[in-house]
Amino acid sequence: MGYSHGGNVSFNGVETLSKQLGVKINLITVSTPVRSNQSEQPINKKGINEHIQIVHENDGVTSFWGGDADTFNTNTPHKTTNYVIPQKEIDLKGSIESHTDLPGHPKFPNYLKKIPRLSNPKPIKNEN
């Protein structure tokens, strides 16, 4: 699981872990900027089994300051699901507050309970 730019870093970590462990990895990113930098994009990461992105609708860091969009492309070899939290469910205003306060907001755990569980990773052959 990665938060903010830590989610971008996780995309590269997934590849390393997948090769070392010989399994595909389920990844959850929260408020992770969708970067145009290809090394920070999950689209071609073969080690991902499933990816979930969670972002608040008012988060300005993900799109305006951090990258190109709030949600990731769902046309990927692995399953990608984006969840955009509406303000009416978690009342956060302001583009910075919506980014920084989301993970610690008291209603965030309840929102997470609405997200279906990730599927079990499918084993892959170790390429080493």
Side-chain angles (χ1 to χ4, degrees), residues 7-20 25 39 45:
N8 298 116
V9 174
S10 295
F11 297 134
N12 292 324
V14 160
E15 290 299 282
T16 302
L17 278 175
S18 176
K19 287 177 184 174
Q20 288 178 352
I25 307 293
S39 71
K45 302 299 182 188

Side-chain angles (χ1 to χ4, degrees), residues 115-128:
I115 297 174
R117 296 189 74 161
L118 291 166
S119 62
N120 290 328
K122 297 171 181 89
I124 60 171
K125 290 183 180 178
N126 196 330
E127 298 174 8
N128 292 333

Side-chain angles (χ1 to χ4, degrees), residues 10 14-15 18 26 28-29 40 52 58 78 91 94 100 115-116:
S10 295
V14 160
E15 290 299 282
S18 176
N26 289 329
I28 299 171
T29 55
E40 295 178 352
I52 289 177
N58 293 333
H78 56 271
D91 189 23
T100 59
I115 297 174

Side-chain angles (χ1 to χ4, degrees), residues 32-104:
T32 296
V34 179
R35 308 284 300 245
S36 58
N37 179 339
Q38 290 300 311
S39 71
E40 295 178 352
Q41 283 287 325
I43 193 163
N44 295 319
K45 302 299 182 188
K46 295 177 181 155
I48 297 176
N49 177 61
E50 189 170 346
H51 172 220
I52 289 177
Q53 162 77 333
I54 304 165
V55 64
H56 193 275
E57 72 176 344
N58 293 333
D59 191 327
V61 174
T62 55
S63 56
F64 182 74
W65 284 287
D68 301 323
D70 291 328
T71 58
F72 287 91
N73 184 342
T74 57
N75 186 20
T76 58
H78 56 271
K79 182 178 178 184
T80 298
T81 309
N82 295 291
Y83 293 91
V84 180
I85 302 172
Q87 182 175 327
K88 67 181 181 180
E89 288 198 45
I90 297 181
D91 189 23
L92 289 170
K93 298 174 184 151
S95 60
I96 302 288
E97 177 190 57
S98 298
H99 181 81
T100 59
D101 294 352
L102 178 62

